[in-house]
Amino acid sequence: IYEPADDISSATISMAQLTATRIFIQWKAFEQIPADGTISFRELAIRVGADVDLLSELAHPIFQPTS
């Protein structure tokens, strides 16, 4: 069932994804993620000079699927 609050929720999620993506681009974080492997949040944070807790929080809206 559609609720008007669904639009607000969707817009909030989109804004979080956009903001996180822009920060990852500014940090050049995407360039540090291997195409054929994995990297820990800690290693990625070290490579881009970011706080690991902040980086991991920003990664969630980018890499976690939404329902």
Side-chain angles (χ1 to χ4, degrees):
I1 298 175
Y2 171 78
E3 296 285 333
D6 293 341
D7 288 336
I8 295 169
S9 178
S10 179
T12 301
I13 291 168
S14 294
M15 186 61 69
Q17 289 171 327
L18 174 64
T19 301
T21 300
R22 291 188 64 179
I23 292 170
F24 263 55
I25 290 169
Q26 185 176 33
W27 285 344
K28 296 182 169 63
F30 292 115
E31 297 168 17
Q32 300 299 321
I33 300 171
D36 59 350
T38 61
I39 188 169
S40 69
F41 288 141
R42 181 170 305 285
E43 179 62 29
L44 184 57
I46 290 168
R47 289 185 185 188
V48 300
D51 177 79
V52 68
D53 293 326
L54 176 60
L55 185 139
S56 66
E57 287 297 320
L58 289 170
H60 288 290
I62 300 172
F63 298 108
Q64 299 260 327
T66 58
S67 50

